[in-house]
Amino acid sequence: MNKYVTTLLLSGLATLHAFGQANISPAPKQNKTIVITGGTIHIGNGQVIENGTIVFKNGKILSVGTNPGTEAGAEIIQAQGKHIYPGFIAPVTNLGLTEFESVKATLDFNEIGNMNPHIRSLIAYNTDSKVPATLRSNGILMAQITPEGGTIAGTSSVVQLDAWNWEDASIRTDDAIHINWPVPPRARGFGPRTAMTPQVIEETRQKAVNDLQQFFAEAQAYTTLEKHAVINTRFAAMKHLFDGKQQLFITANRQKDIVAAVNFAKSFGIKPVIVEAEEAYRVIDFLKANQISVIVKQPHALPSNLDDDVNLPYKNAGILAAAGIPVVISINGYWQQRNLPFMAGTAAAWGMDKEKALSAITLNTAKALGIDKQTGSLETGKDATLFISTGDALDMKTNHVEKAFIQGRSINLDNLHKQLDKKFSDKYSAKAAD
């Protein structure tokens, strides 16, 4: 037995060594005023300032403009010909909740049970993960860490991606509860069909909706009581959802499910954010009338319906934005989050205004997450969470993050991918020179 335990431990150590090359310590607090001048400043709200200057101190932006001034002893960063952006925000991601997809013990985003509002993603968030560093290198400096699975998946939190622990990382703790709207099994492409009859499918779906309705009704009644003979942690976790201090995110795709999800939330006095929303373009008037924000997920994908325009996923964000719906862009997975700005770039290439596409991963996202008073755009009084790119940050050919700051702290932009690139570039450069 000891032989097998020893082998397992050695295997684990080898794995840690293999994935432990990017040991980067979080940056210290900002200790002097920083002035970035001469660059093109993309505010995040649609406004662009050419040859602008931004000044920040103690982690907060002091001024933004063409000549906002400076102060003695400030560090001056020349950014002529470069672009300055607010830090991008990745919403609805299991980043930091999973490390190796093939190892169940590292998957902390899906808990047992169907109604889990009390499951808090923040306390499982791994700040020692090697993945966030790869995101920072593309300008993604914040993320909404989100649980998955079940009907009520749990409670997300918003973090910044350079921290010692989850307490330091948190920007907004327990910002939203996430629901996966009950839907019938849906055949896609040439995959297997369900053996259930249409009647059984609909009955199963309706039962799930009824169970959700009952759960919410009981939770709302529970939260109105001042004292409880028995503590129900699931109901207690929903208190701030009903008093407006917490948000509700509902994943729904088909037009009838989107309408049903919004009406369900309204019946409890809640205005939800709709996630994925593949058929949101079919119910634009309904979404506008109810002032619903939409998180468009996975723009680089095939359409869900066989008779849809094959380019619809690329166009979806632009269609909704043009209609006046607040749009946020997101992407599935965790390693893939580094490609978030290029999803916005795709939306811009398929009809969305370039600065609106930028807002879809900055200010619009901050508004949807309830952190827009603190971050999401480069405005006086907000966090100095921003970066400098030598080119267009929404274009994978020109996105080159030269320097980045989180709450004024100049962060390390090294990561495992860069280290591996250098390692093997050096190897084959040496061979070519021989």
Side-chain angles (χ1 to χ4, degrees), residues 333-351:
Y334 59 105
W335 275 112
Q336 299 89 336
Q337 292 300 320
R338 65 186 183 276
N339 293 320
L340 178 64
F342 313 137
M343 302 300 106
T346 295
W350 286 87

Side-chain angles (χ1 to χ4, degrees), residues 206-222:
Q206 190 58 52
K207 181 181 183 305
V209 172
N210 292 342
D211 289 346
L212 182 62
Q213 185 89 24
Q214 182 178 350
F215 187 91
F216 261 65
E218 291 177 0
Q220 188 174 50
Y222 179 91

Side-chain angles (χ1 to χ4, degrees), residues 196-203:
M196 293 190 294
T197 65
Q199 181 180 354
V200 173
I201 289 174
E202 179 56 26
E203 288 175 355

